[in-house]
Amino acid sequence: MITTLSATIPSHRALKRSHTALQVLQRAFSLTLVLPVFFVTSCLSRPHTSPPPFNVKPAKISELSLYGRDAHSGEPWLASLKRTNGHWELTSISSHPLLSDHDANEPFILHILDSLSSTQISGPGPEAPLMTLGLDPPRFALRWRTDDHSSELKIGNSSHELSQAHISWDDKTHWLASGPLFKLLNHLQGWQSLRATSWIIESPDEIDEISIQNKGRPLLYAQRDGDHWSDA
């Protein structure tokens, strides 16, 4: 018995339509593969910048404490400051309990707070003893307080160019951080750097009278008379 096989041969137009449909399907499949790969590649190649780890807003800080060591003697010191009527003043110094001059070096204090707010986490610190990293005891420590929050930052050894340092924030795991704060604190020779550089805030043109006394006894009195001074 002979079996006859028959088939219908498609027309030229039908073959052309099938070829076009196959090309469309291949393009769609190619896009399906390419788009996810491109998305992953773009995500991996996008640079990552860590946000500032401290939610520090200098204008809201009302109290600040700084710990350090004297650059010459190596003795530790602790200075406490408070913002009063918009101005910073020293409230206590650990080594000088009887502090007569409370005016603080306000431009330097504001510079410290601005630098603190821009500190960035670079990554986790190495597994090493805190003493080796300069965090126990720390080289510097800052504690600040707002109306509803307080935080503490301990700073250890820094890199040669002072752009990075080991830090411990609120006694959490230590990190490597970067920012201008570490180079700025290196200028602290002692708590004296936090004092106002001038003992009088008025300019000479604003003074009309001057009196100098010693134990209640007058030594000098002078009064401005136009552009001249007289003792009358």
Side-chain angles (χ1 to χ4, degrees), residues 177-190:
S178 60
L181 176 65
F182 315 122
K183 183 176 293 186
L184 180 63
L185 291 177
N186 198 57
H187 291 289
L188 274 175
Q189 299 298 309

Side-chain angles (χ1 to χ4, degrees), residues 16-26:
K16 188 174 182 180
R17 286 199 301 266
S18 300
H19 180 69
T20 303
L22 180 61
Q23 287 181 331
V24 172
L25 181 61
Q26 288 176 339

